[in-house]
Amino acid sequence: MIEVQQLTKKYQQTVAVSNVSFTVHAGQTLVLLGTSGSGKTTTLRMINRLIEPTSGSIFINGKNILSQPPEILRRSIGYVLQGYGLFPHYTVAENIAIVPRLLKWNKGRIEQRTDELLHKLQLSPAKYRHVYPSQLSGGQMQRVGLARALAANPPILLMDEPFGALDPLTRTAVRKELKELDELKKKTIILVTHDVQEAFELGNIIGLMDKGCIQQLATPTELLFQPANDFVKQFLQQQLFQLEWQSLRLIDIWNDLPVAENDAAITLTSQQTLWNALAELTNSTLPVVAFDKATATKKVFNFSHLTTAIQRQKQPA
Ligand SMILES: Nc1ncnc2c1ncn2[C@@H]1O[C@H](COP(=O)(O)OP(=O)(O)OP(=O)(O)O)[C@@H](O)[C@H]1O
């Protein structure tokens, strides 16, 4: 759906983005991950033509984005800005209605869509429709920013540090809501972040950037277990332990686990990660048992089952 070919952006002496290429298929989420100044935002903004590239090309559904005016292009691309980007003198409803108004939707349709989105994003329409951004918390503003980007139901969503301004707890909560939102499940998304956890949680593919270049474009598991170079290794180093344990779910090692007693009490599901399982084992004095809904089976495990699985994953293929 989005194809970026050898994209480069130079500002006088600075090469902000250097020869970046990637493809994002329909329904996938690509995360551009990297330190500050690595070229993530510049790459993102070239996709909706807020910035024009020095060289290279971008195709959306096979069509070069230069073949249509930027305003028309942007109607099919929702954009969630760094730090909310809401208009302070517009109410919540007016902020959400910006693109539908440009598209000349009638009043009834706009109101219906606004209320639908507020409702889906856990903001009661009656309470928040007519409120101004200054009366909202950070997490609420973030939801309104997302509702605004989703309003006209664009197939593509670009998100620049969407949770960047939130405290860690709110950040985790909003991220979880986002993952579960069915409107987002069908979208093709490019998300920019410097947060490794966030990238691993949300990305189908991750492009790890440094100094304008993509150092590795890979799935989260490939980045972890087959890092392309020392930069990739070092970037993930601090959180390596947690990421490794989060990269496997109990269902992935289900066949290696012993069957539990029929009457054993269940504490986890097969869809939980080994990280969740580790936490449960650490906090429990009883045997830890997981249940798999699809096969209606119960398995029991200990620390050694988990560490063996992780070690196996780390061995070269
Ligand atoms: N308008 C501009 N003029 C000159 N240099 C620029 C301009 N915009 C960006 N740059 C430079 O290009 C490089 C990449 O910037 P960019 O904003 O894309 O990085 P980033 O990875 O998104 O960083 P952050 O996470 O801090 O937003 C930086 O060195 C930046 O200083």
Side-chain angles (χ1 to χ4, degrees):
M1 185 158 208
I2 306 173
E3 200 177 342
V4 167
Q5 294 178 349
Q6 298 177 320
L7 204 60
T8 294
K9 177 69 188 180
K10 292 182 186 157
Y11 295 101
Q12 289 96 35
Q13 308 304 326
T14 315
V15 184
V17 173
S18 172
N19 208 18
V20 159
S21 302
F22 55 76
T23 302
V24 195
H25 297 289
Q28 271 192 334
T29 298
L30 165 75
V31 174
L32 294 175
L33 172 68
T35 49
S36 182
S38 55
K40 309 178 297 292
T41 299
T42 308
T43 304
L44 196 73
R45 289 175 153 228
M46 285 193 273
I47 295 167
N48 62 1
R49 295 189 61 188
L50 285 170
I51 297 176
E52 298 291 356
T54 308
S55 61
S57 20
I58 301 171
F59 297 87
I60 292 183
N61 285 327
K63 200 165 146 190
N64 193 319
I65 61 166
L66 296 179
S67 68
Q68 54 186 323
E71 309 77 57
I72 303 295
L73 171 78
R74 284 181 208 136
R75 287 180 192 173
S76 62
I77 303 179
Y79 186 41
V80 183
L81 289 107
Q82 215 164 11
Y84 325 126
L86 301 178
F87 291 118
H89 52 291
Y90 278 15
T91 63
V92 163
E94 286 164 347
N95 264 290
I96 297 175
I98 289 172
V99 179
R101 278 211 186 118
L102 278 174
L103 296 175
K104 304 215 166 13
W105 287 16
N106 67 41
K107 207 168 154 237
R109 186 173 171 205
I110 294 180
E111 279 175 9
Q112 194 188 359
R113 179 64 176 152
T114 304
D115 285 2
E116 179 189 30
L117 280 167
L118 285 174
H119 185 72
K120 281 188 183 173
L121 290 162
Q122 332 249 350
L123 293 167
S124 139
K127 191 164 169 198
Y128 290 105
R129 206 185 284 131
H130 302 299
V131 153
Y132 286 88
S134 60
Q135 295 163 275
L136 298 174
S137 74
Q140 289 167 338
M141 281 196 266
Q142 195 52 61
R143 292 187 183 108
V144 176
L146 184 61
R148 182 174 63 180
L150 290 171
N153 201 15
I156 295 173
L157 207 57
L158 305 180
M159 307 174 91
D160 193 354
E161 292 278 2
F163 317 106
L166 305 177
D167 65 85
L169 269 185
T170 315
R171 199 178 169 107
T172 312
V174 178
R175 203 157 77 197
K176 189 160 173 282
E177 275 172 34
L178 189 93
K179 258 173 71 176
E180 282 158 15
L181 204 68
D182 36 301
E183 289 229 11
L184 283 186
K185 289 187 182 146
K186 295 169 237 144
K187 306 267 177 228
T188 307
I189 299 174
I190 302 185
L191 183 144
V192 160
T193 184
H194 60 264
D195 182 321
V196 179
Q197 273 298 324
E198 196 163 296
F200 274 69
E201 204 173 297
L202 300 175
N204 303 111
I205 339 165
I206 298 174
L208 178 53
M209 292 189 73
D210 182 43
K211 300 192 185 79
C213 302
I214 293 192
Q215 296 293 326
Q216 188 169 3
L217 182 69
T219 63
T221 327
E222 283 165 350
L223 271 186
L224 264 184
F225 298 108
Q226 292 143 49
N229 54 39
D230 285 344
F231 175 82
V232 179
K233 271 190 212 163
Q234 273 162 19
F235 196 88
L236 303 180
Q237 190 59 44
Q238 260 194 346
Q239 300 183 55
L240 200 60
F241 180 77
Q242 187 174 354
L243 292 171
E244 283 174 354
W245 284 71
Q246 284 172 334
S247 73
L248 283 178
R249 290 166 193 273
L250 286 170
I251 190 66
D252 300 325
I253 61 166
W254 203 245
N255 291 339
D256 303 327
L257 302 178
V259 175
E261 303 273 324
N262 269 341
D263 57 351
I266 298 162
T267 42
L268 291 172
T269 77
S270 61
Q271 295 306 315
Q272 279 165 299
T273 65
L274 299 205
W275 179 254
N276 301 135
L278 183 66
E280 192 66 31
L281 275 173
T282 311
N283 294 323
S284 174
T285 48
L286 298 168
V288 177
V289 173
F291 180 67
D292 180 51
K293 216 167 146 188
T295 55
T297 47
K298 262 192 218 179
K299 297 282 180 98
V300 61
F301 57 86
N302 57 31
F303 285 109
S304 135
H305 292 113
L306 304 185
T307 44
T308 309
I310 295 287
Q311 273 155 10
R312 202 178 302 141
Q313 188 82 351
K314 283 162 89 163
Q315 278 161 10

